[in-house]
Amino acid sequence: MSLETKPLSGSLGAEILGVDLARLEGPEFGQIREAFLEHHVLVFRDQKLTPEQQIEFGRLWGELFIHPIVPHLPGYPEIVPIVNSGKRRSLTEIWHSDVSFSAKPPMASGLLAVTLPSYGGDTIFANQHKAYDLLSEGMKTMLDGLRAIHSGTGLASASGKRDAWKEHGQDHPVVRTHPETGRKALYVSPAFTVALEDMTLEESRPLLGYLNEAGHAPDVCYRHRWQTGDLVLWDNRSVQHYAVHDHGKAERTMHRITIMGDTPR
Ligand code: SIN
């Protein structure tokens, strides 16, 4: 059976229609994998997944990543509950690619909408291949071979775990090459990238600032309006995301799984 794929914007994102992720067949998974590499963000509506079923779906993609800092759902170390802890304490209202401060950041994340506010709480995704492609040839040449330091210290501190990964930093290429498609993508973010390697903070700031702006221009973005039961799967090697906190104290609970990735190159 051929699945229906409906693109959601000119830059990235597609809805996959007519599939129950709790009962996936081998050929369907092959088609989903192809769509994932083409569209980078996949939306599956109306999925009634238990934590076990979400974990099982994640394992089809690879080994699951256990988050080193953020607490997990009781009894399910593979699932991170994302809850509304208030705008000032939000850890996700900032552009990022998940856990990029680790040596082998997760290749993909899958977020299930469990409880939603009556309005707001959207998530914006930005296509980092397109952002790279839109740079001038001169800028691309300059970025070639540059590396940047990613740090989880801010996240550890904001999570109340000052000692976790305290001095942890990991360098990665500023432009990474997708291991499956060979496409190049920007790989720096305001959340975790603190400096360019072999440069001072002052020297790093203007270039990182420019790349952060280019990486999130409106024409490389897709904004997802959640419905309960949505499972959104994104490719952390291709996109960054930003959870908009505009819903006050209203409950918004999401369950996230992340799938192990490789060393960015
Ligand atoms: C995340 O940053 O992984 C979660 C995004 C969201 O809650 O929309």
Side-chain angles (χ1 to χ4, degrees):
M1 190 187 98
S2 185
L3 296 177
E4 201 185 329
T5 303
K6 190 174 106 191
L8 292 166
S9 80
S11 292
L12 76 165
E15 183 174 341
I16 306 290
L17 294 116
V19 66
D20 178 354
L21 296 181
R23 283 174 191 72
L24 261 192
E25 317 248 322
E28 285 179 326
F29 182 66
Q31 290 170 43
I32 290 172
R33 196 165 188 120
E34 268 177 43
F36 176 71
L37 294 178
E38 182 178 347
H39 298 284
H40 319 302
V41 174
L42 298 183
V43 174
F44 304 90
R45 301 276 189 196
D46 206 20
Q47 301 298 318
K48 296 177 181 67
L49 298 180
T50 61
E52 288 82 1
Q53 287 168 329
Q54 189 179 357
I55 289 170
E56 206 174 311
F57 171 65
R59 287 199 178 126
L60 293 174
W61 298 83
E63 196 182 332
L64 296 188
F65 184 93
I66 310 293
H67 203 290
I69 295 173
V70 179
H72 58 74
L73 195 66
Y76 301 98
E78 301 87 350
I79 296 184
V80 168
I82 313 254
V83 295
N84 183 1
S85 45
K87 189 171 179 73
R88 282 191 42 210
R89 292 173 55 89
S90 168
L91 302 175
T92 52
E93 195 182 34
I94 183 165
W95 285 108
H96 61 286
S97 174
D98 285 325
V99 210
S100 70
F101 50 86
S102 62
K104 294 185 178 186
M107 60 157 278
S109 304
L111 195 64
L112 179 69
V114 178
T115 308
L116 292 174
S118 54
Y119 58 83
D122 297 350
T123 305
I124 314 178
F125 296 92
N127 182 340
Q128 299 305 292
H129 296 302
K130 189 164 178 192
Y132 174 78
D133 291 345
L134 287 170
L135 296 175
S136 66
E137 289 311 311
M139 177 61 92
K140 287 178 184 162
T141 305
M142 193 172 90
L143 298 181
D144 195 27
L146 264 189
R147 297 183 72 82
I149 319 287
H150 296 236
S151 166
T153 307
L155 179 67
S157 169
S159 308
K161 293 194 173 179
R162 273 201 190 85
D163 292 333
W165 292 34
K166 202 167 180 184
E167 298 303 326
H168 200 89
Q170 182 64 46
D171 61 291
H172 292 306
V174 167
V175 176
R176 73 178 288 184
T177 302
H178 195 288
E180 294 182 75
T181 64
R183 288 191 69 188
K184 291 185 172 183
L186 284 180
Y187 198 62
V188 292
S189 75
F192 301 132
T193 314
V194 291
L196 295 165
E197 198 172 65
D198 299 327
M199 291 194 199
T200 64
L201 286 178
E202 289 71 21
E203 287 166 340
S204 305
R205 220 169 272 137
L207 183 53
L208 286 177
Y210 176 75
L211 296 177
N212 284 331
E213 209 173 294
H216 313 123
D219 63 344
V220 305
C221 289
Y222 159 65
R223 180 167 179 143
H224 185 66
R225 299 220 155 80
W226 292 93
Q227 294 173 18
T228 307
D230 282 358
L231 183 298
V232 176
L233 181 79
W234 63 86
D235 191 334
N236 282 306
R237 304 161 299 184
S238 300
V239 308
Q240 288 186 23
H241 58 285
Y242 180 111
V244 179
H245 197 301
D246 58 352
H247 47 285
K249 293 185 175 155
E251 185 180 350
R252 178 183 186 274
T253 300
M254 320 292 268
H255 284 179
R256 192 182 82 182
I257 50 161
T258 40
I259 298 132
M260 298 270 280
D262 61 358
T263 305
R265 295 187 201 288

